[in-house]
Short mmCIF file of all heavy atoms in Angstrom, two decimals:
data_model
loop_
_atom_site.label_atom_id
_atom_site.label_comp_id
_atom_site.label_asym_id
_atom_site.label_seq_id
_atom_site.Cartn_x
_atom_site.Cartn_y
_atom_site.Cartn_z
N GLU A 236 110.80 136.64 74.44
CA GLU A 236 110.09 137.80 73.88
C GLU A 236 110.20 137.84 72.37
O GLU A 236 109.38 138.41 71.69
CB GLU A 236 110.65 139.12 74.44
CG GLU A 236 110.56 139.27 75.94
CD GLU A 236 111.77 138.68 76.65
OE1 GLU A 236 112.90 138.89 76.19
OE2 GLU A 236 111.56 137.97 77.64
N LEU A 237 111.27 137.25 71.84
CA LEU A 237 111.49 137.28 70.40
C LEU A 237 110.68 136.23 69.65
O LEU A 237 110.51 136.31 68.45
CB LEU A 237 112.98 137.08 70.08
CG LEU A 237 113.90 138.15 70.67
CD1 LEU A 237 115.34 137.78 70.41
CD2 LEU A 237 113.58 139.50 70.07
N LEU A 238 110.19 135.23 70.36
CA LEU A 238 109.42 134.18 69.72
C LEU A 238 107.99 134.64 69.50
O LEU A 238 107.42 135.37 70.29
CB LEU A 238 109.42 132.92 70.58
CG LEU A 238 110.79 132.28 70.79
CD1 LEU A 238 110.66 131.08 71.72
CD2 LEU A 238 111.38 131.85 69.46
N ARG A 239 107.41 134.18 68.41
CA ARG A 239 106.03 134.54 68.08
C ARG A 239 105.07 133.86 69.05
O ARG A 239 105.21 132.70 69.35
CB ARG A 239 105.75 134.09 66.67
CG ARG A 239 104.37 134.42 66.22
CD ARG A 239 104.22 134.01 64.80
NE ARG A 239 102.85 134.18 64.45
CZ ARG A 239 102.38 133.95 63.27
NH1 ARG A 239 103.18 133.57 62.33
NH2 ARG A 239 101.12 134.12 63.00
N LYS A 240 104.11 134.61 69.52
CA LYS A 240 103.12 134.06 70.44
C LYS A 240 101.88 133.65 69.65
O LYS A 240 101.32 134.43 68.89
CB LYS A 240 102.71 135.11 71.49
CG LYS A 240 103.86 135.62 72.32
CD LYS A 240 104.41 134.56 73.20
CE LYS A 240 105.47 135.12 74.13
NZ LYS A 240 106.57 134.29 74.36
N GLU A 241 101.47 132.41 69.80
CA GLU A 241 100.28 131.90 69.13
C GLU A 241 99.09 132.04 70.06
O GLU A 241 99.22 131.87 71.28
CB GLU A 241 100.46 130.43 68.75
CG GLU A 241 101.49 130.19 67.67
CD GLU A 241 101.07 130.73 66.31
OE1 GLU A 241 99.87 130.81 66.03
OE2 GLU A 241 101.97 131.09 65.54
N PRO A 242 97.91 132.33 69.50
CA PRO A 242 96.73 132.40 70.37
C PRO A 242 96.39 131.01 70.90
O PRO A 242 96.66 130.01 70.26
CB PRO A 242 95.63 132.89 69.42
CG PRO A 242 96.11 132.59 68.06
CD PRO A 242 97.61 132.59 68.11
N THR A 243 95.84 130.98 72.08
CA THR A 243 95.46 129.71 72.68
C THR A 243 93.97 129.74 73.00
O THR A 243 93.38 130.81 73.14
CB THR A 243 96.26 129.43 73.97
OG1 THR A 243 96.03 130.52 74.87
CG2 THR A 243 97.74 129.29 73.68
N ILE A 244 93.40 128.56 73.13
CA ILE A 244 91.98 128.44 73.46
C ILE A 244 91.91 127.81 74.84
O ILE A 244 92.43 126.72 75.06
CB ILE A 244 91.25 127.56 72.44
CG1 ILE A 244 91.32 128.20 71.05
CG2 ILE A 244 89.81 127.35 72.85
CD1 ILE A 244 90.75 127.33 69.96
N ALA A 245 91.29 128.51 75.74
CA ALA A 245 91.14 127.99 77.10
C ALA A 245 89.90 127.09 77.16
O ALA A 245 89.00 127.20 76.33
CB ALA A 245 91.01 129.14 78.09
N HIS A 246 89.86 126.21 78.15
CA HIS A 246 88.74 125.28 78.26
C HIS A 246 87.42 125.99 78.51
O HIS A 246 86.36 125.46 78.26
CB HIS A 246 89.02 124.26 79.37
CG HIS A 246 89.08 124.86 80.73
ND1 HIS A 246 90.19 125.52 81.21
CD2 HIS A 246 88.15 124.93 81.70
CE1 HIS A 246 89.95 125.95 82.42
NE2 HIS A 246 88.73 125.61 82.75
N TYR A 247 87.45 127.21 78.98
CA TYR A 247 86.23 127.94 79.29
C TYR A 247 85.78 128.86 78.15
O TYR A 247 84.81 129.57 78.29
CB TYR A 247 86.41 128.77 80.57
CG TYR A 247 87.64 129.65 80.53
CD1 TYR A 247 87.63 130.87 79.88
CD2 TYR A 247 88.83 129.23 81.12
CE1 TYR A 247 88.77 131.66 79.83
CE2 TYR A 247 89.96 130.02 81.07
CZ TYR A 247 89.92 131.23 80.43
OH TYR A 247 91.04 132.01 80.36
N ASP A 248 86.45 128.84 77.01
CA ASP A 248 86.10 129.72 75.90
C ASP A 248 84.87 129.26 75.13
O ASP A 248 84.38 129.97 74.27
CB ASP A 248 87.27 129.85 74.91
CG ASP A 248 88.38 130.72 75.46
OD1 ASP A 248 88.10 131.52 76.37
OD2 ASP A 248 89.51 130.60 74.98
N ASP A 249 84.36 128.08 75.39
CA ASP A 249 83.17 127.55 74.74
C ASP A 249 83.33 127.47 73.23
O ASP A 249 82.42 127.77 72.48
CB ASP A 249 81.94 128.39 75.12
CG ASP A 249 80.65 127.65 74.81
OD1 ASP A 249 80.65 126.41 74.90
OD2 ASP A 249 79.64 128.31 74.48
N ILE A 250 84.52 127.12 72.80
CA ILE A 250 84.79 126.93 71.38
C ILE A 250 84.99 125.44 71.16
O ILE A 250 85.80 124.82 71.85
CB ILE A 250 86.05 127.71 70.94
CG1 ILE A 250 85.80 129.20 71.14
CG2 ILE A 250 86.41 127.41 69.50
CD1 ILE A 250 87.03 130.05 70.90
#
Side-chain angles (χ1 to χ4, degrees):
E236 301 87 44
L237 300 175
L238 297 177
R239 180 177 173 178
K240 302 293 186 218
E241 291 292 332
T243 57
I244 298 174
H246 66 280
Y247 52 81
D248 286 339
D249 197 32
I250 297 173

